[in-house]
Amino acid sequence: TYKTQYSSIQYSTEKDLYSFTRNIGSGFSFFESPESNPLLAKNRVDRIVEKISGILDMHPPDLSFTIKLYQNRREIESLYKSMGGLGKAPIAFYSHRTKAIYVSLENITDRILAHEITHAVINFYFGTPPPGRMQEILAQYVDKYLWER
């Protein structure tokens, strides 16, 4: 487990954490690598959380979630179905029940992670999470404005 201010990242091997960091690493300096700077994942995840909270003007004081890394989409699909997910499994998802984001290393990007973190922020902000459709509208709003500047 690798801790950030807002999350705990669960992974199997250090190589998995490095892959995750590279995949969410747009904007990192060309000379930095996850192997040489282990704080890159922490900095990136926390920066995304803070930008999302600012865009939504939602700053839940108890925000704390887990990011669980899986190898591939097939594992995510299987997990999604075992947790009672209906329909086609997404490539990543947030579960309010477990307060966790589930991602596959083969598909994760900073944009996908940001979308799922938006769900976490929304769910922590409201005592009762808003309906899924409302969450998607807010997540799409964040998707539109997060990467500006």
Side-chain angles (χ1 to χ4, degrees), residues 4 6 14 20 34 36 40-41 44 66 71 76 89 116 140 142:
T4 81
Y6 303 103
E14 283 192 24
F20 172 75
S36 66
L40 290 177
R44 186 62 172 167
T66 303
Q71 293 300 311
I76 296 295
E116 299 310 324
Q140 289 173 17
V142 169

Side-chain angles (χ1 to χ4, degrees), residues 25-137:
S26 68
F28 287 149
S29 166
F30 178 78
F31 297 105
E32 289 186 297
S33 72
E35 294 88 352
S36 66
N37 185 353
L39 294 177
L40 290 177
K42 176 189 180 318
N43 294 344
R44 186 62 172 167
V45 169
D46 288 346
R47 194 170 348 145
I48 291 171
V49 170
E50 289 164 2
K51 286 181 84 171
I52 290 167
S53 293
I55 289 169
L56 294 173
D57 196 20
M58 294 180 184
H59 306 276
D62 58 345
L63 181 61
S64 178
F65 56 90
T66 303
I67 300 171
K68 296 187 179 198
L69 307 183
Y70 291 86
Q71 293 300 311
N72 54 53
R73 174 132 188 204
R74 198 169 51 254
E75 289 178 313
I76 296 295
E77 289 171 350
S78 176
L79 182 65
Y80 182 76
K81 289 180 181 170
S82 73
M83 293 175 74
L86 302 173
K88 185 179 178 192
I91 59 175
F93 66 96
Y94 172 76
S95 167
H96 179 62
R97 184 177 53 79
T98 62
K99 296 183 178 15
I101 295 171
Y102 301 87
V103 303
S104 76
L105 291 170
E106 71 180 9
N107 296 108
I108 193 63
T109 66
D110 50 1
R111 292 180 182 274
I112 293 169
L113 180 64
H115 183 92
E116 299 310 324
I117 289 174
T118 300
H119 287 287
V121 169
I122 292 167
N123 279 265
F124 272 88
Y125 185 77
F126 293 102
T128 302
R133 284 183 178 250
M134 177 58 75
Q135 289 187 45
E136 283 304 316
I137 290 167

